[in-house]
Amino acid sequence: MATYRKWIDSLPLLVKIILALPVLDGIFYGIYRICKGTLLNIILGIIWIFAGAAIFWILDIIFLLLRGKVLEL
């Protein structure tokens, strides 16, 4: 799981933003949050897989542009 997070973190910003587009965001960043392992992030990751694909993807793009990382707890 740590290797998946390292792989996502090592990607260029443009690729991270592409992965944050609708549908892809729910899959890639939902799993990314689950891999963190804390209870809050596991719950957030599961929610993100379903709602992130439709609604929350815009938050990830904003956070990527401002901080270079997606929203995490």
Side-chain angles (χ1 to χ4, degrees), residues 7-50:
W7 174 70
I8 292 285
D9 288 337
S10 70
L11 293 173
L13 182 60
L14 181 61
V15 176
K16 289 180 185 179
I17 291 172
I18 291 170
L19 292 178
L21 292 174
V23 179
L24 294 176
D25 183 67
I27 297 166
F28 285 99
Y29 290 118
I31 294 170
Y32 179 83
R33 288 174 176 88
I34 291 170
C35 288
K36 180 137 188 199
T38 63
L39 181 62
L40 226 47
N41 275 319
I42 291 172
I43 293 169
L44 183 63
I46 292 169
I47 291 170
W48 215 272
I49 288 173
F50 301 104

Side-chain angles (χ1 to χ4, degrees), residues 2 4 6 11 16 27 32-34 50 52 55-57 63 67 71:
Y4 180 77
K6 286 180 187 178
L11 293 173
K16 289 180 185 179
I27 297 166
Y32 179 83
R33 288 174 176 88
I34 291 170
F50 301 104
I55 302 168
F56 296 140
W57 61 271
F63 273 84
R67 294 185 351 180
L71 174 65

